[in-house]
Each structure stands twice: as C-alpha cells, then as structure tokens.
Amino acid sequence: MKSVRSESVPVRDKVSRARAELAAALVERDAEVDVVLTALLAGEHVLLVGPPGCGKSLLLDGLLAWAGGRKFSVLLTRFTTPEEVLGPVSLAGLKEDRYVRVTAGKLPEADLAFLDEVLRGSSAVLNCLLKLLNERTFDAGDGVVKKVPLKLCVGAANDWPEPDTGKELSALLDRFTLRKTVAPIRTAAGRQRLLWARDHTPTFSTTVTAAELDDARRAAAAVPWSNDAKEALEQVLRELAREGVHPGDRRQFKTVGVVRAFAYLCGADAVRPEHLEVAQHCLWDDPAGEPEKVAQVIAKVANPCGMRVAQLLLEVEGVLGATDARNLADAARAAAKLGEVERQLAALPAGPRAEAARGYVRDQLKRLKLASLDAV
Ligand SMILES: Nc1ncnc2c1ncn2[C@@H]1O[C@H](COP(=O)(O)OP(=O)(O)O)[C@@H](O)[C@H]1O
Ligand SMILES: [Mg+2]
C-alpha cells in the first residue's frame, strides 16, 4: 500500500481522506467504512457479519494498514488455543513454578486487533476474549491484573449466532458496541466495478500514528450534542421501548459516544439528529429482527440523509430489477419513477452520498433510455 509523508496533514483531514479512499476502493461499502472508522474514533469494538467474500477482510485489513499502533490479527477456528491469542506459557516461569504467559506480539499487547471468524472460537478462547474486550484488562497468570492497550477490536463473522447458542456467544456479541450486517453487492453498476476493476486494495495518501488517533479520539469525545439531537435520541429510545426493543443501559450510554465519533467523522462541530444514523448499529440486542426496527425508528425520528439515500437506492434497484427496458411502456414507467427519485435526491442536503446516488440514478436513466431506443 502506498503512502506519502503526511506529518503536516491534520488528523481530522487524514481520517476524512481515509474514509474517501476506503469507500473508493471497496464497492458499496460506504456504510461499513463509516461504521469501522466511527468505531476507531469512539474506541469501541465493531463486528461485521456477512457471507464469505463480501469484502470484510479487505476493509478491516485496509483499516489496520492505515492506522498506526501495535496490531494483532488471528483467524479463529474451533481448534485455536488460548496460547495463539494470548501468548504461550513461559517455560522459564514454569521452571520456577510460575504460570505466566509471554504476551509479546499477541492480543494483550495490541492497540488494534482483528479477530476473523470471531464467533467460531472455542469456549476457552471466547471466555478469555470476553474479559479482555470488556474490561480491557488481562492477568498474565501472576495474579496481577494489568490494563491492556487495546483501542479497537474489529471482528468478522459469516453468520449471526443462532438463537439459544449459549451464553458465551451472546455475551461476546454484546462486547461489540457496533455490529453490522454486510450484504452482497446490490447494484448492477457495483457488480461491474467489482468484476472489472483490476485491484480493490485501498490505497492511502496518508498514514496515522497511534498518538494522532488518541488526539482524534479526544476531539471526538468532546463534540457537544445539540438539544435537537438529544431530544431525538430520547424519542428514539421511547419509540424503541414501545416496539419492544430494550437496549441495555450500558449500550445506551455507549451509543452517546459513538454518535459523537460519527459527527466528528462527518466533519461536524456538534451532534445533530442526522448523526443518529450510526446508532442503528448499537441500539439492539437480538440480531433477529431488531436491527431493522431500530433503523426504521431512527429513520422516522431523526430522518438522516444517509438513510434516505439508502432507501431511495433500494427503490431504484427494485424498479430496475422489475423492468424490461425493451418493453416501451415498462421502460417509460421506470424512467418516470427514476426521475422522481432523482428529484427527491436533489432535494436532500448536499453531501457526497446524495451526490453519488444522484449520479448513479442519472446513469441508470440514460442506460434505460438507450436500451429502449435500441429496442425500437
Ligand atoms: N465490496 C467489495 N469491494 C471490492 N472488492 C470486493 C468486494 N467484495 C469482495 N471483493 C473482492 O473479493 C475478495 C475477497 O473478499 P474478502 O475481503 O476476503 O471477503 P470476506 O473477508 O468477507 O470473506 C477481495 O479481496 C476483493 O477482491
Ligand atoms: Mg475474511
């Protein structure tokens, strides 16, 4: 990965460049890029769940390549031992009748960790992880509980745990403050980019040191909440309770910091209702059905632009998927619908996501018209 001397670039600009560079390299992963960068800035762990080959590792490896600090990555299987994650037991220690782990290069010494297939770990490994991720402390075996430097753990998994798969997995799921499902590429244009771009590896124009990230975290934690945003969050929680979704107190409190980090990522100097968009990845416990409810409630209460763009794009895909461009009446109906979506996108506050979506809809309109001309 290419990087340039970047000492003179302020950290906030570095973050926003990395956001753009990751989103440009990966196809249809803008939301995931925002989620992982928000997690990095909030110092909260993040889990991405999606089918094999949908770009999770590409994104998470890219993030770790860009961010400075000591790193640890592991692919967990049922056979991975605690030694591989926490470090082997010291032989010298054993000779003196002491049981201590040598943690050099392992999770207890990492600033940033990537646990791939994290839900596959054995009970022994999951139990070790639970404590370390939650309390960010570790006892190497000598009875001294030390703070670990871990700032961010990113996890990936192929499936959400089945309901009733045991306490360990649901406890582990709870350690990740942000959790997002990663869907396969949806649009035809996205698929073209996936197929014909020669390389999807992100290229970064900057790197960022661990100290700079600490500065960014402090600045993000100091972003104030506007009164509107506070009211919106309270209303979201009330409506969720009415819908039977009750995120725990710790999760609610952590969400406040996560939304601050997202506002910082968006370049805002105060949290506004639209920044609640990111809270859809925090405010639920049960992956079956709750994430969708939370997203709907947030979309209704806080009306974030990003969520409206996503909804409109889904509509566009629905229309395109159901249209035979060679049937003129069909094509005309679809064109009218796309025109309407384009107008709605134009009415949204200006921003890169709305702009990109408008460009996409315009391109699709052109293709539709060309295809129907061909058919005549
Ligand atoms: N959304 C995407 N954008 C760009 N490349 C992708 C995307 N999804 C998959 N790929 C391609 O497929 C490869 C495998 O993806 P990977 O990150 O290993 O998947 P996962 O970790 O989700 O199983 C990537 O290296 C990339 O070439
Ligand atoms: Mg992977």
Side-chain angles (χ1 to χ4, degrees), residues 72 74-75 79-88 101 106-107:
F72 173 74
V74 68
L75 174 73
F79 306 107
T80 307
T81 60
E83 283 65 42
E84 289 167 70
V85 180
L86 303 170
R101 288 192 188 276
K106 300 292 182 186
L107 180 61

Side-chain angles (χ1 to χ4, degrees), residues 44-235:
E44 295 290 351
H45 309 316
V46 57
L47 175 67
L48 298 181
V49 179
C54 66
K56 301 182 296 294
S57 297
L58 191 63
L59 169 58
L60 298 175
D61 285 334
L63 178 80
L64 260 59
W66 171 71
R70 281 165 298 177
K71 293 158 201 170
F72 173 74
S73 296
V74 68
L75 174 73
L76 293 184
T77 70
R78 277 190 302 130
F79 306 107
T80 307
T81 60
E83 283 65 42
E84 289 167 70
V85 180
L86 303 170
V89 175
S90 156
L91 291 178
L94 280 181
K95 281 188 196 143
E96 296 167 15
D97 255 0
R98 291 186 313 123
Y99 181 95
V100 282
R101 288 192 188 276
V102 184
T103 55
K106 300 292 182 186
L107 180 61
E109 300 204 5
D111 298 301
L112 305 168
F114 175 14
L115 306 179
D116 206 354
E117 297 291 355
V118 61
L119 303 179
R120 293 248 168 101
S122 66
S123 271
V125 167
L126 294 187
N127 272 317
C128 300
L129 288 177
L130 283 176
K131 203 166 153 61
L132 196 146
L133 293 185
N134 193 34
E135 290 158 24
R136 308 204 189 202
T137 58
F138 179 66
D139 173 358
D142 50 6
V144 184
V145 178
K146 283 199 205 118
K147 264 187 95 58
V148 294
L150 188 68
K151 298 294 188 317
L152 172 72
C153 171
V154 293
N158 289 341
D159 306 287
W160 295 101
E162 296 287 324
D164 310 320
T165 32
K167 279 210 166 114
E168 269 151 13
L169 276 190
S170 51
L172 184 68
L173 198 59
D174 194 46
R175 297 305 181 262
F176 293 94
T177 304
L178 293 119
R179 291 138 321 161
K180 183 174 189 321
T181 299
V182 186
I185 290 169
R186 271 186 296 111
T187 68
R191 187 140 318 273
Q192 293 241 318
R193 260 179 72 201
L194 173 81
L195 294 177
W196 308 122
R198 206 164 287 171
D199 188 3
H200 304 105
T201 315
T203 323
F204 295 103
S205 58
T206 66
T207 54
V208 71
T209 65
E212 284 174 312
L213 282 173
D214 282 339
D215 288 345
R217 270 184 216 109
R218 270 191 293 275
V223 175
W225 276 69
S226 67
N227 285 335
D228 283 357
K230 283 185 185 170
E231 273 166 32
L233 176 60
E234 289 174 19
Q235 194 186 337

